[in-house]
Amino acid sequence: MTDAANGQVPASTDASDRPDPLDFLPPDEPVHLLDPDGTYHPDPDHPIDLDDAALRELYRLMMVTRKVDREAINLQRQGQLGVYASCMGQEAAQIGSAYALGPDDWIFPSYRELGAALVRQVDAAGFLHLYRGTWLSDHDPYKHNFGLMSIPIGTQALHATGFAMGARLDGNPIVAMTYYGDGGTSEGDPHEAMTFAGVTKAPVIFFVQNNQYAISVPLAKQTAAPTLAHKAIGYGMPGYRVDGNDVLASYAVTRRAIDRAREGVGPAFIEAMTYRMEAHTTSDDPSRYRTQEELEEAAKTDPIVRMRNFLTKRDLYDSALEDAIEEQTKQVASEVRAGIYDAPHGDPMELFDHVYLDATNHFEDQVAQLRSELSQGGEV
Amino acid sequence: MAVTMAQAINQALADAMAKDERVLIFGEDVGKLGGVFRVTDGLQATYGEDRVFDTPLAESGIIGTAIGLAMYGYRPVPEMQFDGFTYPAFEQIVSHLAKMPNRSRGTVKLPVTIRIPFGGGIGAVEHHSESPEAYWAHTAGLKVMTPGTPEDGYSMMREAIEMDDPVVFLEPKRRYWMKTDAAMPVTTEPARDAVVRRAGTDVSVFCYGPMVRTALDAAEAAADEGWSIEVVDLRSLSPLDTDAIVASVERTGRAIVVHEAARNLGIGAEVAARIQERAFYHLEAPVLRATGFDTPYPPAKLEEFWLPDVDRILDLVERALAY
């Protein structure tokens, strides 16, 4: 019987190769491998293929991230940074996921991804120059495979998707991962990015840190979806859910998504459950929208303490490691202060240098004007 | 054999794809259908679905993924199906495409050419006849150009695709069927140069895109009145060829700017400002503007009353000459 005889309109595409939707739905509970006391629960679906050195490295990266994060807040209080968006509390989600990428894979971050940036060996002081206002970005994206920090919410999801489409077209087995937050899932661009990625099977991972707040707005006012991960099925990709304060689970779930994308199966969405321990930015006042009790509860889930407990149970943590990390975080903090403190302004004439590769006719008179203003004793 | 502007642009796209395998064409309906104006007709059949592909119906997605593809190393030529549908992509164009090379201190190049059929005069339904060029020209980091002839349709498109800067390429849709006997490929003046389409001595008429033909018709009619009109096709709206504009005004002493876009803060305002800055003592009359009105684009049955035409231009010529 034809579709029409059956009362069905003809379909423009064959639905027979559609995957089983149940494969795309998130599990009832986020994937969780480490208890707060450091007890490890092995999970055959989420193996940890990391040796002792790598486990210690995850911990070290989280410690360095927290130290730089604290330092950035201090620098803002001292007037050295205009503003800063802390990632405190989100270290495991960022570092576990970024650590799961291969060296040729790419990250397309928002402005809160200090942890991911440090995994990519972006210079910590350089990372903060955006917040100081020295220049709009300091690192070379092609050196670190780490895109520019994107401030308009969720817009970078499309850049990651386009990049991944390009890699797939080029036969290059790399993966692009983009980071944004729970608020970002309400924006149009992540929706369009997931639509494009689903259709093109682009090897892109949408890693959402659900830190419970978009500035002041809690998740319940952001979406009526059962979970953010449930959204993924609508784009034809799996929605994973992970305890984002568990660095091993963050690593393992992301690794699973990456392997799948690299094999050409397609994109994936990951919702990492975490908590933004600091204000949205240093300009924010979270006491207006959340309680001290809530914050104290959240502090009990601290990802760094959890990993330290795990390493201790494994006999991988001792005073020598503690001292070495202490020494190193001090060193990095000192470098950050040196790189930021009283850093000179950029050269005003550079304003014109990168607007166009061919700037002919665009603003010669304005270049001359600024040069003249500077030569007339203008204090730079 | 005569070639239309649509065919000339199609040929430019085909030749650019043949020359450089990094060139990709994508957008809504550009593949199998060949675009709603058939400007990409046949390209998918020749270059395959990897390089010429239909996207989901999402303009921000088209431009945002073009940015990612360009970061990867491709030279994307995305199409916005109509002028009035560029607005969903506004943020990607203004906040990222235009700014990223500058933010990255020049380490990120975005050689993206956005094709946009623009302007009215074809009796289209609402949102299909807009002239958004001032938005793009106002945005630092974009180059904005529009051809007024089929030859420029070919040559400027080739140049746009080869530029490493992002380009907004505005195609005057009412002139898609304008014909030339010139053989393609053809190389015209560099896109950043304005071109004198008709020399004259009494009044300079500055125009671009769809209004080039209209201005030439007006100049022809003016000649019957004994007025000598110089028609200057601006071609590039960002950057503007200020030297050519000033040189023309120095010859004629009078200037009229013509565009379909609404008058308030349109390209005409910028051209007038530059003329009074650079050619004040050459002016015999105020700079005048023949433009669309400061109203939303009208319904199709009223567009003839809204769009600048030969009569609106000639009225201003007469006014300019009366000073």
Side-chain angles (χ1 to χ4, degrees):
Chain A
M1 191 156 40
T2 64
D3 288 341
N6 210 5
Q8 303 286 316
V9 297
S12 66
T13 50
D14 179 10
S16 62
D17 60 348
R18 266 188 211 148
D20 182 349
L22 291 178
D23 292 343
F24 290 163
L25 284 172
D28 292 338
E29 291 298 324
V31 174
H32 166 101
L33 303 178
L34 285 184
D35 290 343
D37 70 356
T39 304
Y40 173 61
H41 302 280
D43 174 354
D45 287 338
H46 300 96
I48 298 294
D49 57 349
L50 299 171
D51 62 17
D52 291 350
L55 293 170
R56 284 182 170 136
E57 175 65 0
L58 288 174
Y59 177 74
R60 186 193 68 84
L61 283 163
M62 290 199 289
M63 288 290 285
V64 173
T65 300
R66 183 156 298 181
K67 184 72 172 179
V68 173
D69 195 78
R70 286 319 309 172
E71 197 59 44
I73 292 171
N74 292 340
L75 286 166
Q76 192 279 333
R77 300 286 184 244
Q78 294 161 26
Q80 291 290 327
L81 301 179
V83 70
Y84 176 67
S86 167
C87 68
M88 184 177 169
Q90 301 176 219
E91 296 90 347
Q94 291 189 17
I95 285 160
S97 57
Y99 200 77
L101 291 166
D104 295 330
D105 295 334
W106 269 71
I107 286 175
F108 290 80
S110 85
Y111 50 81
R112 202 185 295 283
E113 267 70 73
L114 172 67
L118 294 179
V119 173
R120 282 295 156 139
Q121 298 180 316
V122 173
D123 177 69
F127 180 89
L128 296 175
H129 275 301
L130 169 71
Y131 292 111
R132 181 170 169 79
T134 320
W135 195 261
L136 305 164
S137 182
D138 190 66
H139 71 281
D140 179 347
Y142 292 99
K143 197 171 151 199
H144 302 277
N145 290 13
F146 191 82
L148 304 192
M149 286 181 269
S150 189
I151 291 178
I153 301 299
T155 51
Q156 70 278 9
L158 281 166
H159 309 156
T161 301
F163 198 92
M165 287 164 63
R168 183 171 161 85
L169 188 53
D170 193 32
N172 181 357
I174 64 166
V175 170
M177 184 153 71
T178 182
Y179 289 96
Y180 49 98
D182 40 298
T185 62
S186 300
E187 288 276 10
D189 279 1
H191 159 69
E192 296 192 14
M194 291 174 76
T195 299
F196 274 61
V199 168
T200 61
K201 291 190 161 56
V204 54
I205 312 298
F206 300 91
F207 193 95
V208 168
Q209 293 164 81
N210 178 354
N211 69 10
Q212 312 301 324
Y213 289 94
I215 303 189
S216 66
V217 178
L219 188 69
K221 292 189 174 168
Q222 204 64 247
T223 181
T227 73
L228 295 177
H230 278 84
K231 294 189 173 199
I233 188 173
Y235 305 96
M237 68 181 77
Y240 301 126
R241 217 155 166 258
V242 62
D243 178 346
N245 284 9
D246 175 343
V247 70
L248 296 185
S250 296
Y251 169 85
V253 168
T254 310
R255 185 61 195 274
R256 181 181 177 187
I258 289 169
D259 290 348
R260 185 177 174 280
R262 205 186 302 287
E263 285 163 17
V265 181
F269 178 96
I270 299 170
E271 177 185 12
M273 306 302 295
T274 183
Y275 193 89
R276 194 194 74 213
M277 292 298 295
E278 266 291 340
H280 162 66
T281 70
T282 46
S283 303
D284 179 31
D285 174 12
S287 70
R288 295 176 76 106
Y289 55 84
R290 67 184 185 190
T291 63
Q292 190 60 32
E293 293 72 36
E294 179 181 314
L295 205 58
E296 284 163 12
E297 277 303 301
K300 293 176 188 163
T301 67
D302 189 290
I304 294 184
V305 174
R306 192 182 304 195
M307 187 59 175
R308 188 187 303 140
N309 290 342
F310 166 75
L311 292 177
T312 304
K313 278 183 196 288
R314 284 250 172 151
D315 289 332
L316 295 174
Y317 188 83
D318 55 22
S319 60
L321 179 65
E322 185 175 5
D323 293 347
I325 290 175
E326 169 79 13
E327 187 58 32
Q328 205 203 353
T329 55
K330 274 189 184 158
Q331 172 74 20
V332 173
S334 157
E335 285 165 12
V336 165
R337 279 194 300 276
I340 290 293
Y341 223 92
D342 295 332
H345 293 195
D347 173 4
M349 294 312 296
E350 193 188 348
L351 291 176
F352 299 103
D353 285 352
H354 321 294
V355 183
Y356 299 96
L357 285 137
D358 173 11
T360 313
N361 293 1
H362 275 281
F363 35 49
E364 287 95 337
D365 54 337
Q366 295 171 26
V367 174
Q369 179 186 344
L370 181 58
R371 189 172 285 125
S372 163
E373 288 172 6
L374 292 172
S375 73
Q376 285 162 25
E379 188 80 15
V380 178
Chain B
M1 199 179 81
V3 176
T4 66
M5 181 174 303
Q7 289 165 339
I9 295 171
N10 177 277
Q11 184 68 47
L13 296 172
D15 292 352
M17 296 200 87
K19 184 181 173 200
D20 187 344
E21 63 180 19
R22 296 171 301 170
V23 175
L24 304 178
I25 288 174
F26 50 95
E28 296 156 9
D29 307 296
V30 300
K32 205 174 224 181
L33 183 68
V36 293
F37 290 105
R38 307 294 182 265
V39 174
T40 55
D41 193 28
L43 297 179
Q44 189 180 69
T46 306
Y47 295 102
E49 291 188 32
D50 278 350
R51 294 185 62 199
V52 181
F53 54 92
D54 291 320
T55 65
L57 204 167
E59 290 80 9
S60 188
I62 292 167
I63 302 303
T65 54
I67 290 168
L69 284 158
M71 285 183 76
Y72 187 85
Y74 287 99
R75 302 185 81 83
V77 187
E79 177 181 296
M80 298 278 95
Q81 195 164 76
F82 281 93
D83 35 53
F85 307 139
T86 55
Y87 309 131
F90 199 83
E91 182 177 38
Q92 286 291 341
I93 296 173
V94 171
S95 295
H96 291 300
L97 182 65
K99 290 188 170 83
M100 203 181 284
N102 182 57
R103 291 174 66 217
S104 70
R105 285 191 149 128
T107 57
V108 175
K109 285 192 291 189
L110 296 178
V112 176
T113 300
I114 305 177
R115 295 183 40 248
I116 308 174
F118 89 119
I122 63 164
V125 73
E126 195 182 9
H127 308 296
H128 291 69
S129 301
E130 312 238 323
S131 295
E133 60 267 28
Y135 301 135
W136 317 126
H138 191 66
T139 301
L142 301 176
K143 291 186 185 294
V144 184
M145 59 180 78
T146 176
T149 67
E151 291 88 338
D152 270 357
Y154 181 89
S155 186
M156 289 168 68
M157 177 59 79
R158 291 298 304 273
E159 192 181 341
I161 293 172
E162 292 194 3
M163 279 182 181
D164 283 336
D165 290 313
V167 177
V168 173
F169 195 92
L170 295 159
E171 300 173 1
K173 69 170 85 81
R174 69 197 283 193
R175 305 298 179 206
Y176 270 146
W177 301 275
M178 173 192 253
K179 286 184 177 146
T180 179
D181 290 324
M184 303 293 150
V186 62
T187 303
T188 60
E189 294 82 353
R192 67 165 175 262
D193 293 348
V195 168
V196 176
R197 295 278 172 221
R198 176 185 174 119
T201 55
D202 294 334
V203 179
S204 298
V205 171
F206 300 102
C207 55
Y208 54 87
M211 285 290 105
V212 174
R213 180 72 259 162
T214 309
L216 287 168
D217 291 345
E220 191 64 37
D224 296 339
E225 305 286 331
W227 301 328
S228 170
I229 305 298
E230 176 149 304
V231 176
V232 180
D233 179 356
L234 296 173
R235 302 166 82 241
S236 169
L237 306 183
S238 182
L240 277 173
D241 186 353
T242 312
D243 289 345
I245 294 167
V246 169
S248 179
V249 173
E250 286 176 355
R251 286 191 289 274
T252 62
R254 293 176 177 82
I256 294 167
V257 194
V258 184
H259 52 65
E260 287 189 19
R263 187 173 309 164
N264 187 35
L265 296 174
I267 300 293
E270 181 61 30
V271 171
R274 293 193 188 199
I275 290 170
Q276 60 84 22
E277 281 171 4
R278 292 267 309 269
F280 186 72
Y281 290 108
H282 293 274
L283 283 174
E284 302 287 344
V287 181
L288 302 173
R289 290 172 286 171
T291 67
F293 298 118
D294 291 332
T295 70
Y297 195 86
K301 300 299 183 201
L302 296 177
E303 68 180 351
E304 65 176 298
F305 305 104
W306 193 92
L307 287 166
D309 59 8
V310 167
D311 288 340
R312 192 173 291 168
I313 296 169
L314 290 179
D315 284 349
L316 294 187
V317 168
E318 194 171 6
R319 253 178 78 190
L321 287 167
Y323 280 90

